[in-house]
Amino acid sequence: AMLNQTNAREFILLGLTDIQGLQHFFFISFLLLYLTSLLGNGAIVTMVIAEPRLHTPMYFFLGNLSCLDIFYSTVTVPKMLTGFLFGHQPISFGGCLAQLHFFHFLGSTEAVLLATMAYDRYVAICNPLRYALVMSPRTCLLLAVASWSAGFVHATMHSVMTSQLSFCGHNHIPHFFCDIKPLLNLACSNTSLNMTLLNVVTTSIVLGPFTLIVLSYFYII
């Protein structure tokens, strides 16, 4: 049975809508949002680097967050914009995995980074006298590296697991980018382990930081 399976080397992204009038409206709206995001976040990163007075833990993390947002939107939006202009978008299997990887890498890094920023604010408000000691430049750098690394490991796990699946028959993804769930629905091999990882690990990467953020607010208040 395994021999006559033809593995899909390409997928078709169906995008958000097929309605012609809406596509142009969406294209202009998302293009404007994307450009605004690039300009705004780009300005923040430039300011944080250029202005010595902003070389503080809070702005260091904010700069990281703005960098993340630039990459994060760039992973999905350009492909989505071409989809609005030219209809269904073909994407190679490798391209699909890359998109999935970076989407989850940047998304989970952002979650961890937001928790780190909440911790920074907690220390600043609750332990102001020890703040400079606790949030030393070295600590900030370590926390940032840890955030990016956690996101990278999380995403690598998903992309490796997804690359092991076999796809045969349907290759139409009812989405504007390659995400895990829509891909698992197309796979013709067993996806139970993938689903478990998605539910357990991804949920904990979202809920863990969220809990820390809520706790930090609780302590600050």
Side-chain angles (χ1 to χ4, degrees):
M2 287 303 283
L3 287 174
N4 61 16
Q5 281 186 5
T6 49
N7 242 3
R9 297 313 320 151
E10 179 180 79
F11 296 101
I12 309 289
L13 294 168
L14 299 183
L16 282 180
T17 174
D18 272 343
I19 304 164
Q20 209 55 52
L22 271 182
Q23 285 185 335
H24 292 125
F25 166 72
F26 275 146
F27 174 78
I28 292 161
S29 310
F30 279 105
L31 180 63
L32 288 173
L33 281 171
Y34 180 53
L35 292 176
T36 310
S37 162
L38 289 187
L39 283 170
N41 286 306
I44 291 173
V45 174
T46 313
M47 282 283 293
V48 170
I49 292 170
E51 176 55 70
R53 278 175 307 181
L54 297 185
H55 293 179
T56 63
M58 184 172 97
Y59 286 104
F60 169 70
F61 291 127
L62 195 63
N64 269 275
L65 198 64
S66 292
C67 263
L68 260 180
D69 284 335
I70 291 171
F71 298 143
Y72 196 45
S73 51
T74 304
V75 170
T76 54
V77 177
K79 195 78 181 164
M80 178 170 76
L81 290 175
T82 45
F84 288 138
L85 281 188
F86 306 111
H88 299 171
Q89 283 298 295
I91 186 167
S92 69
F93 186 62
C96 200
L97 277 180
Q99 206 179 33
L100 177 153
H101 177 83
F102 281 104
F103 182 78
H104 283 271
F105 167 32
L106 299 164
S108 46
T109 301
E110 183 148 340
V112 181
L113 199 59
L114 286 171
T116 306
M117 291 171 82
Y119 173 70
D120 169 65
R121 292 298 83 203
Y122 157 72
V123 178
I125 293 165
C126 298
N127 287 318
L129 299 176
R130 296 188 56 227
Y131 181 67
L133 189 70
V134 176
M135 298 303 284
S136 66
R138 187 168 172 270
T139 308
C140 292
L141 191 62
L142 280 173
L143 284 169
V145 169
S147 301
W148 288 85
S149 306
F152 187 79
V153 169
H154 170 240
T156 304
M157 179 199 75
H158 280 312
S159 43
V160 168
M161 288 298 296
T162 310
S163 69
Q164 302 304 308
L165 298 173
S166 18
F167 298 91
C168 36
H170 291 295
N171 67 344
H172 287 68
I173 298 175
H175 206 14
F176 61 90
F177 73 97
C178 282
D179 200 3
I180 298 173
K181 273 266 170 65
L183 271 179
L184 293 185
N185 293 339
L186 295 181
C188 49
S189 48
N190 186 1
T191 60
S192 54
L193 180 59
N194 301 62
M195 280 306 286
T196 308
L197 278 177
L198 187 62
N199 292 332
V200 175
V201 183
T202 307
T203 307
S204 56
I205 258 213
V206 172
L207 280 184
F210 178 72
T211 312
L212 286 173
I213 291 165
V214 171
L215 268 176
S216 74
Y217 276 113
F218 177 74
Y219 276 110
I220 287 169
I221 291 162

